[in-house]
Amino acid sequence: MLSQHAGNIRVLAGGTDLIPSMRQKLFEPRFVLDLRGIGELRGIYPQPDGGAEIGALTPLSAIERSSYLREHYPVLTEAAATVASPVIRNMGTIGGNICLDTRCLWYNQSLAWRKGCGFCIKKDGDLCHVAPGGSKCWAAFSGDTPPALLCLNAEIEVASANGMRRISLREFYPGDGINYRNLQSNELVTRVFLPAESAGYCGIYRKLRVRGSIDYPLAGVAVAMKRTSNGNGIGRVTEAHIALTAVNPAPVLVKSAGELLAGKNIDEALAEAVGDIAARTAKPLTTSALTPEYRREMIRVFTKRAILAAAQN
Ligand SMILES: Cc1cc2nc3c(=O)[nH]c(=O)nc-3n(C[C@H](O)[C@H](O)[C@H](O)COP(=O)(O)OP(=O)(O)OC[C@H]3O[C@@H](n4cnc5c(N)ncnc54)[C@H](O)[C@@H]3O)c2cc1C
Ligand code: SF4
């Protein structure tokens, strides 16, 4: 069906983002393909090599509550637990969170609002209100679990009538607000793979949002870190990964953070220095009601706090 109606069909997993977007006339597909009956795409499966496989239709609440994931991949359970509200996490899936559309103040509005204020290039218009004069859309990728998955070096399986492909999540987001994922219109995300080598990192996720109980991130930081053990429970960092969400058109890894942390004991000055690098990686624009300056500053603050919290684990 996806191949037959490519371009005129949308996939529905939990529907928690798709349905509101269709009501706002952001998506106007002729057909909707409801995946919810495909039981094989639901579940968390620890692998014999120590890794794990997660079906794309697995609800975020199952990820949040999984004692296996909490023990081996805590940054993912932490991030999943912050998505929206308990009711939405029961409906919303990990695949839907990975494939979530990018967001912008000028875009996530009703048709009447967008008509009144002016359409933009992401939908129905020919200019960008955020960066006038340019032809790129800067809408922010605002999913909570993808930065955690980037830290874990996760891969995803993509299926179509032509077969399967497996790609690193790090290659899935091209960084454009309109073409925000490397997925053809006849393709589905079917599974997420967590490598064995990424198990056992302590993990922290921090996010900024307007309504603490139910909102998308306006800045988010995931930290996954491994340290040596010296008997006191305090050791040097052996490996660390930091990723951001909601401040760029894609979730992004903070590239030099791991190098700066490796081999060192964590203290306030080091955590602050990494916070500075993270803030420079964040490129928020006026895509939300909170100012870009505040969101970038909160990336600095949350990165520092998350590193110090990881050091307590
Ligand atoms: C009030 C509210 C608050 C929210 N807060 C947050 C938040 O804090 N953090 C956050 O990350 N999200 C938030 N969301 C968005 C959403 O609930 C989650 O991102 C959720 O994980 C989406 O999953 P879903 O299964 O419902 O996706 P759907 O709505 O079914 O789909 C989302 C998009 O992904 C596509 N898609 C879904 N599954 C697949 C697949 N397997 N293969 C290919 N394409 C697919 C759909 O076609 C659609 O474009 C919020 C939503 C609401 C309504
Ligand atoms: S960044 Fe520009 S083009 Fe993209 S949704 Fe916002 S206003 Fe529209």
Side-chain angles (χ1 to χ4, degrees):
M1 287 187 74
L2 274 183
S3 295
Q4 199 181 337
H5 302 294
N8 212 356
I9 186 165
R10 280 272 168 179
V11 166
L12 182 144
T16 60
D17 195 67
L18 184 78
I19 299 295
S21 299
M22 286 178 65
R23 292 210 172 117
Q24 292 178 323
K25 307 276 186 231
L26 296 172
F27 304 141
E28 300 172 279
R30 179 141 182 246
F31 302 101
V32 169
L33 180 62
D34 185 348
L35 303 179
R36 283 174 302 172
I38 312 176
E40 295 91 322
L41 294 187
R42 200 171 289 118
I44 299 162
Y45 304 101
Q47 298 298 295
D49 71 351
E53 252 181 57
I54 306 177
L57 290 185
T58 307
L60 292 164
S61 56
I63 290 169
E64 173 192 0
R65 288 185 208 137
S66 160
S67 49
Y68 177 83
L69 293 179
R70 187 167 298 277
E71 184 183 344
H72 298 281
Y73 302 100
V75 69
L76 179 59
T77 50
E78 272 227 2
T82 70
V83 173
S85 65
V87 173
I88 292 175
R89 293 198 292 277
N90 278 338
M91 294 288 290
T93 64
I94 182 95
N97 203 237
I98 290 170
C99 294
L100 190 64
D101 193 14
T102 54
R103 297 182 63 78
C104 175
L105 183 64
W106 298 92
Y107 170 72
N108 297 97
Q109 304 287 353
S110 67
L111 179 61
W113 193 102
R114 289 184 291 120
K115 205 170 180 179
C117 291
F119 294 119
C120 72
I121 46 180
K122 186 155 163 71
K123 177 71 179 148
D124 298 331
D126 54 11
L127 59 87
C128 173
H129 300 284
V130 168
S135 56
K136 180 173 172 177
C137 168
W138 295 92
F141 181 84
S142 308
D144 282 304
T145 64
L149 293 169
L150 290 185
C151 287
L152 297 172
N153 203 9
E155 295 187 337
I156 54 172
E157 180 185 74
V158 170
S160 73
N162 303 327
M164 308 275 207
R165 63 188 173 101
R166 185 167 159 162
I167 57 164
S168 165
L169 196 66
R170 293 178 182 183
E171 291 159 25
F172 188 61
Y173 300 106
D176 179 273
I178 295 173
N179 297 311
Y180 63 95
R181 51 188 185 171
N182 283 320
L183 193 74
Q184 302 302 315
S185 52
N186 65 344
E187 289 182 319
L188 275 181
V189 173
T190 43
R191 281 184 295 175
V192 181
F193 303 100
L194 304 179
E197 308 78 62
S198 302
Y201 282 69
C202 68
I204 302 286
Y205 182 70
R206 293 283 180 270
K207 79 189 249 193
L208 174 71
R209 49 183 160 181
V210 174
R211 298 167 297 177
S213 58
I214 192 173
D215 241 331
Y216 291 88
L218 294 175
V221 179
V223 172
M225 192 188 286
K226 260 187 191 163
R227 291 183 306 151
T228 55
S229 165
N230 66 2
N232 300 327
I234 307 162
R236 292 174 192 276
V237 176
T238 51
E239 211 173 325
H241 303 283
I242 297 177
L244 311 179
T245 191
V247 282
N248 298 75
V252 287
L253 274 172
V254 181
K255 288 208 175 101
S256 43
E259 287 157 36
L260 191 60
L261 285 163
K264 303 207 180 93
N265 279 316
I266 290 171
D267 59 19
E268 191 126 351
L270 179 60
E272 207 156 302
V274 181
D276 286 346
I277 298 179
R280 285 202 293 277
T281 306
K283 306 269 184 281
L285 294 175
T286 50
T287 54
S288 82
L290 301 185
T291 65
E293 293 78 12
Y294 179 56
R295 285 159 63 208
R296 189 180 301 111
E297 185 55 25
M298 289 313 288
I299 288 288
R300 185 196 316 278
V301 170
F302 281 150
T303 303
K304 178 182 169 187
R305 286 184 191 163
I307 290 171
L308 292 174
Q312 300 302 314
N313 276 347

